[in-house]
Amino acid sequence: MTSPDTGGDREKVVTKLTSTLRQDLKVRAALHGLDMQNAVEAGIVAWRGLGSNPAAVDTASAETYATFLPTGVWDGFRDDCKDRGVSLTQGIAQAVTLWLDNNPVPEVQRPATVRRFIVCNQKGGVGKTAITAGLGEALAENPAALVPVRVSKYFAALLEEEDRPEDLLALEDLPGLGQRVLLVDFDPQGHLTKQLGHETLPMGGDSLTNHMAGEAKGELTDLIVAVDETRFGDRLHILPACTDAFLLDVRLASVRAREAALERALRPVENDYDVILIDCPPSLGLSMDAASYYGRRRDNEETGNSGVLIIVQAEDSSADAYGLLTSQIEDMRGDLALDIDYLGLVVNHYDARRGYIATSSLQSWMDIKDPRVVGVIGDLKEQKEAVRAKRPLLAYAPRCEQSVALRALAREISK
C-alpha cells in the first residue's frame, strides 16, 4: 500500500517486516550514517538488479512496517516480486537482508597513539571516580548497538531550566563507541575498584606501586581484570588499586626520573587498549606529577588526543582546589618543557534546584573558556544506586540522565 508523501518526491509505503530485521536495519543504517528509508531503497535497488532470487527469509513473525520511497520505486518492486513469484513481504525481507549483507558493521576507528585521560582534582568528594568509571563505560559500549545520547553541544541551557530550546533537550540513538578501555585505580582508597565489584589487590603481593617503584613481582597484565557486563563485551578492564599506594610518594622519592614512573609501568599494556583512564587520588604529591607526565602530548601525537580532565563542582571550594591543581600542572609544563593538554572541565553533581550558588558557579566555570566545560553531570540517585549494587552505571541504568550525559562527554572529548 502507498500514499503520497508531503515531502513531494517520496511516497509512504506500508509493508511487513520482522522485528529482528527492523532492529538490525535501524542499527546498521545508523552505523553507516543513513536514514532507514535510504537503506531500504538501496536494498530494493540491489535486489532488483539480481539475476535470480536469493535464499528465502523467515517472515513468519513479520509485522506492519512503514517507510518512504521515491515515487515509482515501490510499483517497480511490486511488479518484480510478481514476476519472480515471491510475496511483497518475502521480497522486502530479501531486499533488507541483501542490504545488511552488503553493508557490514564498520570497523571501529582506533587512535594512532593510545589516548591517556588523567581524571583529577586535589579536592576529594567531587566525583572523580564516578566520572572515570562512567566515561570508560561510555567509551566501551557495543559499537553494533544503539545507545541514547544527548546531542546538545551547549551547557548554558542548564542555567535556563524553563526556557531551553527543544533541540537542546533531544536524545539521539547513536552507535556505541566500541573502544578498548583500561581503567587505572590510582587512588589507594580503591573506590573505583570497589564500585565496579572487584577487590583491591592484597598487600604484600604485586601492584602498580611496585611496578612504578621498579620492584615488580610479575607482569602488570596479570593484575588487570575485566568488568564483566555484556554491553561492554571484553572491552572494559580495570587495574585494581592496592593500599600500598599510600606509600607511593615516599617510594617514588628515591626513583630515578620519577615523573616517568607511571609511564614506565603502563607501557607494556598500552598496545592492548585504545584509551587508558587514570583515576587520580586527591593529592598534589609526586603521584600527581607522574600522572600529569603520563598525560603529556607525545611526539607526533595530535593535540587533545590525551591530557588532563578536571572534575569540579558548582560551588566555591572547587574553585580554590582548581587553582592549586592547575598551578602544579603549569609548573610541570614549564619545568620539564612538556605539552600537557587540558581536555576540559566536568561540572559534576550539578543541581540547579540549589539556587544561585549552583547556577552562578556553573556560569563561572563556563566563563573560563580555556579549559572549557565539556560536560555537566547531574546529581541524581542512579549513580548512588549503582555504587550500592557494585555495578557500572551504564549497565545498571543505561537510559538515565547521568548515563546519557556521560555518553555526551565521551563524544565531546573524543572529537
Side-chain angles (χ1 to χ4, degrees):
M1 183 178 73
T2 65
S3 60
D5 171 31
T6 56
D9 62 345
R10 287 181 177 264
E11 57 186 2
K12 184 177 180 180
V13 174
V14 179
T15 181
K16 287 188 175 182
L17 202 63
T18 65
S19 59
T20 299
L21 277 178
R22 185 183 310 186
Q23 181 63 19
D24 289 346
L25 176 65
K26 178 181 179 181
V27 172
R28 197 72 57 80
L31 290 173
H32 287 275
L34 295 174
D35 289 332
M36 290 175 67
Q37 63 184 17
N38 293 330
V40 173
E41 178 188 348
I44 288 175
V45 170
W47 182 89
R48 295 183 68 187
L50 294 176
S52 59
N53 286 344
V57 178
D58 183 5
T59 60
S61 60
E63 301 173 346
T64 300
Y65 172 71
T67 188
F68 290 90
L69 295 173
T71 303
V73 168
W74 187 250
D75 290 339
F77 177 65
R78 183 168 49 202
D79 291 341
D80 285 351
C81 286
K82 184 177 180 180
D83 292 342
R84 295 184 185 187
V86 299
S87 67
L88 280 172
T89 300
Q90 179 62 215
I92 195 66
Q94 291 179 7
V96 169
T97 301
L98 180 61
W99 184 85
L100 291 169
D101 290 342
N102 291 340
N103 295 270
V105 174
E107 291 290 329
V108 174
Q109 292 186 349
R110 307 293 180 192
T113 302
V114 61
R115 308 192 70 189
R116 302 163 322 279
F117 297 163
I118 313 305
V119 185
C120 57
N121 192 330
Q122 66 92 20
K123 182 181 184 297
V126 298
K128 295 185 295 296
T129 296
I131 298 301
T132 302
L135 179 55
E137 294 160 25
L139 289 163
E141 284 186 302
N142 188 354
L146 300 182
V147 294
V149 181
R150 179 94 48 214
V151 296
S152 169
K153 297 179 181 178
Y154 305 102
F155 306 109
L158 289 166
L159 296 171
E160 304 292 341
E161 289 290 331
E162 297 180 357
D163 299 318
R164 288 184 288 180
E166 287 303 313
D167 61 333
L168 293 177
L169 298 171
L171 291 180
E172 182 175 347
D173 284 335
L174 297 174
L177 294 175
Q179 299 291 288
R180 301 167 302 176
V181 178
L182 175 63
L183 306 172
V184 177
D185 194 344
F186 200 40
D187 187 340
Q189 299 174 92
H191 293 317
L192 178 62
T193 302
K194 297 168 187 174
Q195 285 184 18
L196 294 177
H198 291 277
E199 297 295 328
T200 56
L201 297 172
M203 288 287 289
D206 205 5
S207 66
L208 177 59
T209 299
N210 287 337
H211 283 257
M212 292 178 65
E215 300 171 2
K217 299 181 179 181
E219 300 295 327
L220 189 71
T221 188
D222 294 337
L223 304 178
I224 295 172
V225 292
V227 177
D228 188 18
E229 290 282 355
T230 302
R231 71 184 304 111
F232 309 123
D234 190 34
R235 294 178 297 274
L236 184 61
H237 296 171
I238 182 171
L239 175 55
C242 180
T243 52
D244 66 356
F246 279 114
L247 300 174
L248 178 58
D249 281 8
V250 174
R251 295 178 69 178
L252 285 181
S254 59
V255 172
R256 189 169 70 86
R258 56 180 177 262
E259 67 278 352
L262 181 59
E263 180 161 316
R264 289 195 297 268
L266 293 177
R267 276 277 195 186
V269 302
E270 285 186 352
N271 288 337
D272 297 331
Y273 300 99
D274 302 310
V275 185
I276 296 178
L277 292 98
I278 311 297
D279 182 27
C280 293
S283 167
L284 294 178
L286 297 179
S287 56
M288 187 61 218
D289 283 344
S292 298
Y293 184 88
Y294 186 57
R296 80 194 186 286
R297 196 188 320 153
R298 293 176 178 173
D299 292 342
N300 301 318
E301 186 174 8
E302 293 184 4
T303 301
N305 187 70
S306 301
V308 174
L309 186 68
I310 302 175
I311 316 303
V312 298
Q313 289 180 296
E315 43 83 41
D316 294 338
S317 61
S318 275
D320 297 334
Y322 167 78
L324 294 171
L325 175 62
T326 53
S327 292
Q328 180 173 1
I329 293 171
E330 292 305 316
D331 287 344
M332 283 282 293
R333 273 175 152 180
D335 293 345
L336 299 178
L338 304 178
D339 290 318
I340 301 176
D341 296 329
Y342 290 105
L343 299 174
L345 301 171
V346 178
V347 182
N348 195 27
H349 297 160
Y350 180 73
D351 187 347
R353 295 173 300 178
R354 291 175 181 150
Y356 175 74
I357 294 296
T359 57
S360 61
S361 294
L362 175 58
Q363 185 63 64
S364 296
W365 290 120
M366 290 192 296
D367 287 343
I368 291 177
K369 305 302 183 186
D370 185 19
R372 65 190 178 91
V373 172
V374 292
V376 179
I377 312 298
D379 187 12
L380 302 172
K381 64 182 179 64
E382 286 84 359
Q383 176 62 49
K384 300 178 180 66
E385 292 173 351
V387 170
R388 175 64 65 87
K390 297 187 183 302
R391 291 189 63 197
L393 172 65
L394 273 68
Y396 176 80
R399 301 192 67 86
C400 77
E401 282 293 322
Q402 288 164 315
S403 295
V404 168
L406 285 162
R407 293 190 187 103
L409 171 62
R411 284 159 174 79
E412 188 69 21
I413 64 175
S414 296
K415 291 178 179 178

